Amino acid sequence: MKETLEKIKLQSIKDLESVQSRKELEELRIKYLGKKGELTQVLRGMGGLSPEERPVIGQLANEIRDYINEKIEETSYCLKRKELEIRLNSEFIDVTMPSKRKDLGNKHPLTKVQDEINQIFIGMGFTIVEGPEIEKSYYNFDALNHSKYHPARDMQDTFYFTEEILLRTQTSPMQVRTMERQKPPIRVLVPGKVYRRDEIDATHSPMFHQIEGLVVDKGITMANLKGTLDVFAKRLYGEDTKTRFRPHHFPFTEPSAEMDCTCSACMGAGCRVCKNEGWIEILGSGMVHPNVLRNCGIDPEKYSGFAFGMGLDRIALLKYEVDDLRLFFENDKRFLAQF
Ligand code: DAH
């Protein structure tokens, strides 16, 4: 039995020396140490030995098993290193190769201008809020002091679901919703989609975007309105921009005014963009009508406020000198990728 063990040891040394891969190594492990392995077989046969022989042979068998185990581990480590070396030599990275292109999107031009305007007003202490596009005619018209026969209420101008529910024609109803919810001081900016029954052409769309502003507090005057909107115009179009206010009429403000800015393309000299006027109309504004304050449970003897509303699409058209509104809504990537 002793000779058999010595033979196994010698044979295993030879075998392990010639191993080429980890697969072969595993096969050798099974050959010697597996359940049916050579060494295991010998150990099984130990039952037939005399009591004197048993510990001697047992010790020798254990030594050989430990030896083979150790050798296998050593060889495995060497093989792993060799494999890694081969991989590192055969694989390499060509840093001059062009990368795989991914189509990265960019912000829509309307979103970009909206973000810019939001930031200007956030800087002046306004909060951005949004409201429902499906609106009650009470908020869209009645509470905003529109008379029963105001032309904007006409079926030809407005999308109705029922007599009481419609697609909002302006963001102004959020003035009322805000004042109902919140007591002064109020400083909110309300961007959002609005809808009117307009035929689509280069300057009209049945869906477009407005931005509403509302400030209500004690002692708010027309000077606050002009100061705030003048700062806004300068931030948007540059410090040299001038503003002018023309009297106008809106049912929910009194007095009301439209604001023009000097054309940012020609700085007021007159050009194609401003149709040689030198000025561009930007927004409607005014002091919140006492009736509107009353409709919202705010005492007009104690509080006053100003409001304004502008068309985002128009501002973006002028800013980017785009001459057809439809381009903003057609989702042609060749157009949108330019911003
Ligand atoms: N809602 C008006 C429109 O759609 C725009 C407007 C004008 C809003 C004056 C205002 C304002 O808040 O004070 O024509």
Side-chain angles (χ1 to χ4, degrees), residues 169-172 175 196 210 212-213 250 252-253 284-286 307-309:
T169 63
Q170 49 187 357
T171 42
S172 308
Q175 289 188 29
R196 291 183 197 175
Q210 284 191 339
E212 191 83 13
F250 298 105
F252 43 91
T253 46
S285 64
F308 54 90

Side-chain angles (χ1 to χ4, degrees), residues 157-213:
D157 283 329
T158 305
F159 294 107
Y160 286 92
F161 294 98
T162 68
E163 238 171 81
E164 269 94 52
I165 297 175
L166 43 79
L167 287 175
R168 67 178 177 191
T169 63
Q170 49 187 357
T171 42
S172 308
M174 270 306 282
Q175 289 188 29
V176 181
R177 285 184 178 275
T178 305
M179 285 189 278
E180 277 184 355
R181 222 178 314 166
Q182 187 186 333
K183 292 300 141 206
I186 291 170
R187 250 184 292 182
V188 291
L189 193 77
V190 191
K193 292 188 171 77
V194 299
Y195 302 85
R196 291 183 197 175
R197 285 189 62 165
D198 273 328
E199 291 294 329
I200 300 178
D201 65 24
T203 53
H204 292 85
S205 161
M207 184 283 299
F208 58 101
H209 300 82
Q210 284 191 339
I211 307 167
E212 191 83 13

